[in-house]
Amino acid sequence: GCDPSDVLSAGRNYSVKLVTMQGRTPRMMAFLDGDMKCIVESARGNLATASKAAHVYAGHPNYQGANAEISRLTYNPLPALQADNNLLGPKAGEVRLKKGNFLGVISTSTSYKLSFELTLFGRVSSWGSVLHFSADSNIASEHDRIPGIWTFPGDTRLHFRSATSGNYNDGCDPTMKLELNKKYRIQVSADALSNTLSVKINHKQVCSSKASGLLAKGHSKVFVWAADPWYEPANGQIAQVYYRKF
């Protein structure tokens, strides 16, 4: 399980979201008012399989009910994302980066272009997560950074990683520093034909490097985060996020 340490205030309304996902290891997360409060990743066993006849209680007959009321109870499968569509949603505007903000599941390819708008409002002292495509965890296999984008600690430079057979943390880092409060169009790409990783900012190529091994193959079930649950989020917002296979 996953138990937030927050003590809830009586009489106040909270938005609660519980998320489970099965990669190589099971993961459980709890959110209060949109903020991730706990995450548990366990190597022991798998999540329970789906049931066609599950019983739903509010509260359970074997326990005393909490002195509370609930509303707007929903239960949904993980969102399915589609390449060539805005991964934030067809009507989404700017989205503030938040730790553990899970967008959904997508199928990836070896060669891809990932583009998005990014506005930074400040620097963070650690690696600042922007977007992270991962089949399971942070950096345990060649499908865990396909790709991942961060800002450098204490800086506005971008850190682009895309796993290869020779290096799960392969990538290409532009030297350009982004100005605060300015919107940029970012594109990161992996090209299997030339075996290169590259970055464009405002349609100008600012970084390109040869991969140290074969680019990671496409995967049918990849989790998309903005920002991921393993790092602090970059201090900024994103919009118009598109993943294109080629």
Side-chain angles (χ1 to χ4, degrees):
C2 182
D3 295 335
S5 60
D6 299 60
V7 178
L8 305 188
S9 299
R12 178 186 167 186
N13 188 51
Y14 292 89
S15 172
V16 179
K17 181 171 70 172
L18 308 174
V19 179
T20 63
M21 55 182 65
Q22 180 70 58
R24 291 186 305 276
T25 57
R27 179 178 298 111
M28 290 164 275
M29 298 178 292
F31 298 80
L32 288 176
D33 293 335
D35 294 327
M36 188 181 74
K37 295 299 183 178
C38 71
I39 179 171
V40 170
E41 298 171 302
S42 174
R44 295 179 297 175
N46 295 314
L47 296 174
T49 57
S51 173
K52 295 182 178 180
H55 298 281
V56 180
Y57 299 98
H60 196 277
N62 294 339
Y63 298 90
Q64 182 177 351
N67 184 10
E69 62 183 19
I70 62 173
S71 63
R72 298 186 177 184
L73 176 65
T74 60
Y75 180 94
N76 298 299
L78 298 180
L81 305 177
Q82 300 296 326
D84 300 317
N85 292 332
N86 185 0
L87 302 188
L88 300 176
K91 298 181 180 180
E94 286 82 9
V95 172
R96 190 70 186 234
L97 296 168
K98 300 185 78 172
K99 187 172 185 175
N101 181 20
F102 173 66
L103 301 182
V105 181
I106 195 170
S107 171
T108 63
S109 62
T110 301
S111 296
Y112 64 84
K113 293 179 181 179
L114 172 64
S115 62
F116 56 97
E117 294 175 355
L118 172 65
T119 306
L120 295 177
F121 303 122
R123 301 166 180 83
V124 294
S125 59
S126 60
W127 294 104
S129 176
V130 178
L131 284 162
H132 194 158
F133 287 57
S134 170
D136 187 61
S137 61
N138 176 29
I139 188 172
S141 82
E142 67 175 343
H143 290 112
D144 285 343
R145 294 186 171 190
I146 52 172
I149 300 100
W150 293 262
T151 54
F152 272 79
D155 207 336
T156 60
R157 289 179 56 206
L158 294 180
H159 180 59
F160 163 50
R161 303 288 94 182
S162 194
T164 66
S165 60
N167 183 357
Y168 296 166
N169 201 39
D170 214 342
C172 180
D173 293 339
T175 59
M176 177 180 175
K177 295 177 182 288
L178 305 186
E179 295 180 28
L180 299 181
N181 304 303
K182 180 178 178 179
K183 183 184 293 184
Y184 292 89
R185 188 67 188 173
I186 310 296
Q187 178 184 286
V188 299
S189 62
D191 187 342
L193 185 61
S194 60
N195 205 41
T196 57
L197 303 170
S198 60
V199 180
K200 290 184 178 180
I201 298 178
N202 291 342
H203 309 289
K204 179 182 178 180
Q205 183 164 294
V206 292
C207 180
S208 180
S209 64
K210 281 285 186 182
S212 60
L214 298 177
L215 299 180
K217 295 180 179 179
H219 198 282
S220 62
K221 184 181 178 183
V222 174
F223 304 122
V224 183
W225 309 87
D228 71 32
W230 303 289
Y231 295 88
E232 291 304 309
N235 184 3
Q237 65 185 21
I238 57 173
Q240 299 297 316
V241 181
Y242 287 87
Y243 182 91
R244 294 182 169 92
K245 304 176 181 180
F246 73 94

